[in-house]
Amino acid sequence: MGSKLAAIAPSPLRVSDLINPELRCWRASLFKAPEKFKTFLWRVGTNALSTRENLLNLLEVDDPTCLLCNQESESICHLFLKCPIARALWFSTCWGFKAEEHTLRSHSDIVQLILNPPPSLCPAYDQWLVSLNMAFTLDEIWQTRNALLHLKAPVDIQASRQHILSKLRECSLFLSQPEPPTHETPILRWSPPPPQGYVKINTDAAIPDSRSALAVIARDDHGAILKVWARITPIHPPLQAKALALLWAVQLAKRERWSHVFIEADSKICIDAILSGDKDQAGSIPHIVFDIHDLALSFLSWSFYWVRRSCNQATHVAAKFALDSHISCFFILGNLPPSMSDVCKEDALNVFSFS
């Protein structure tokens, strides 16, 4: 799905550009979503879907009742909000949202609900993510209805819920990717992440003769050390060791419950394999790349970037410290070894040149 999303190249267009101009109440609204779902929302808002009630006005339809529940005429309002199947899906996928508690009299009211969802639904999410989830739910109801009509497929609320969750995770990752920093000259030292609120994580691996060491350093957007991890592992080929360090970084970030992460490494092969998702490009590390992608879905947003070795000195020092000490270790800002403290201070000084 990732490659398809990239081809869509969605932009936060005004919904008023898609919806009938006479619906002026939407003129100031923004909807951040792939074009497919903007178009679908336009069809809902203009009552352009081929529901049985709409077809009744154009064709000879023997039975206009809802395909999902067989209780009422299949209008847009009934299909998406009043049908018991639709209500069950809303409740299971939209944080307990109860459609019956909202007075929605027209198809335009449905779009208003998507664009301006109740703030109590999921306060931990940005509004555009809540709107995106609700748009996916709307689309899934329509897809379920069509599958029943054309394929006689049974209604499966749990399967539909998984479809929506998968779309939300992948689309939110793609749409919330921060742009990499642009500079006229190459970056030669560590720099803070461009978006405020992100945790920047650097990874590295050291591979001497008989063992490997992995290192992970997490810093906030001001350059302050959050945590440093380093551990001894059995000997690995260099590429695998670098990939394992990236995997460990993602595991640690998930354990720390960081939701917005910016992960860097000085192995271009590893980073290119993660970004492309190409098994051939992954070489000997496809299973590690797969695990990284799988775990990254737990974040609200993430980015992977290749950096020069000079931008990754702190993690190199951390890995070397673990090798020289023959132990795995964990540090916070107050107990950094001198060698590590010096390089981190030097990196922190560089933050001011980007502020």
Side-chain angles (χ1 to χ4, degrees):
M1 182 175 176
S3 59
K4 294 179 180 178
L5 286 175
I8 293 171
S11 57
L13 299 179
R14 292 185 179 277
V15 177
S16 57
D17 294 336
L18 301 173
I19 307 248
N20 193 320
E22 67 190 31
L23 303 176
R24 302 187 187 279
C25 57
W26 298 340
R27 191 169 296 280
S29 299
L30 295 174
F31 185 45
K32 190 176 182 181
E35 299 302 325
K36 170 185 175 181
F37 297 98
K38 292 179 184 178
T39 302
F40 177 72
L41 195 62
W42 172 81
R43 294 178 67 199
V44 172
T46 55
N47 197 21
L49 293 177
S50 56
T51 61
R52 285 188 157 188
E53 185 174 273
N54 284 342
L55 291 176
L56 187 64
N57 299 323
L58 301 172
L59 306 170
E60 292 185 4
V61 177
D62 295 333
D63 183 7
T65 57
C66 174
L67 283 161
L68 296 177
C69 68
N70 294 311
Q71 292 182 8
E72 296 183 22
S73 178
E74 191 188 68
S75 65
I76 279 187
C77 282
H78 170 80
L79 176 63
F80 290 120
L81 294 167
K82 297 179 181 180
C83 173
I85 300 298
R87 289 181 174 182
L89 192 56
W90 280 112
F91 187 80
S92 66
T93 59
C94 287
W95 307 286
F97 172 74
K98 296 181 180 179
E100 62 270 21
E101 294 180 354
H102 297 264
T103 304
L104 304 172
R105 297 184 176 88
S106 69
H107 44 82
S108 61
D109 289 342
I110 297 175
V111 180
Q112 283 280 29
L113 175 67
I114 302 300
L115 299 180
N116 300 289
S120 60
L121 275 186
C122 190
Y125 275 42
D126 292 335
Q127 178 172 317
W128 73 271
L129 280 170
V130 178
S131 294
L132 190 63
N133 187 44
M134 296 183 79
F136 288 158
T137 302
L138 210 66
D139 179 72
E140 184 64 26
I141 293 170
W142 183 245
Q143 297 300 329
T144 299
R145 177 259 190 200
N146 287 341
L148 178 61
L149 172 64
H150 301 296
L151 304 175
K152 307 302 179 185
V155 175
D156 188 335
I157 297 295
Q158 284 303 315
S160 292
R161 181 180 180 277
Q162 289 303 316
H163 293 161
I164 295 168
L165 181 60
S166 177
K167 290 176 186 176
L168 179 65
R169 283 176 173 172
E170 187 151 2
C171 283
S172 64
L173 289 174
F174 177 76
L175 293 172
S176 60
Q177 290 288 316
E179 292 295 324
T182 56
H183 299 275
E184 294 181 357
T185 57
I187 300 176
L188 301 177
R189 297 294 303 176
W190 184 89
S191 62
Q196 290 186 350
Y198 273 69
V199 174
K200 188 173 218 184
I201 303 172
N202 287 78
T203 74
D204 199 6
I207 307 99
D209 295 335
S210 59
R211 62 194 187 282
S212 303
L214 312 181
V216 175
I217 295 182
R219 285 173 271 200
D220 64 17
D221 54 16
H222 299 291
I225 292 290
L226 299 175
K227 293 184 178 180
V228 178
W229 298 267
R231 72 180 185 188
I232 305 296
T233 68
I235 188 68
H236 292 287
L239 182 61
Q240 288 187 12
K242 297 276 189 177
L244 288 171
L246 282 160
L247 175 59
W248 190 31
V250 177
Q251 292 168 336
L252 291 169
K254 182 178 179 180
R255 190 183 73 186
E256 296 293 326
R257 297 185 178 180
W258 293 324
S259 57
H260 303 276
V261 296
F262 203 94
I263 301 175
E264 292 182 340
D266 56 28
S267 171
K268 195 171 189 305
I269 295 176
C270 287
I271 296 300
D272 286 348
I274 292 170
L275 294 178
S276 70
D278 188 340
K279 291 183 178 180
D280 295 332
Q281 190 169 348
S284 61
I285 56 170
H287 59 292
I288 303 176
V289 171
F290 176 83
D291 289 342
I292 290 171
H293 271 285
D294 190 48
L295 287 171
L297 293 177
S298 62
F299 305 125
L300 290 181
S301 58
W302 52 265
S303 296
F304 288 91
Y305 288 107
W306 169 79
V307 293
R308 298 168 184 267
R309 183 65 176 271
S310 59
C311 304
N312 210 31
Q313 286 296 320
T315 43
H316 178 69
V317 171
K320 188 174 183 302
F321 180 88
L323 286 173
D324 294 342
S325 304
H326 303 284
I327 58 170
S328 297
C329 47
F330 166 74
F331 302 105
I332 57 175
L333 182 60
N335 69 341
L336 291 175
S339 60
M340 207 177 302
S341 180
D342 291 343
V343 70
C344 288
K345 285 179 181 178
E346 189 175 346
D347 283 346
L349 290 174
N350 193 53
V351 170
F352 295 104
S353 66
F354 288 89
S355 59

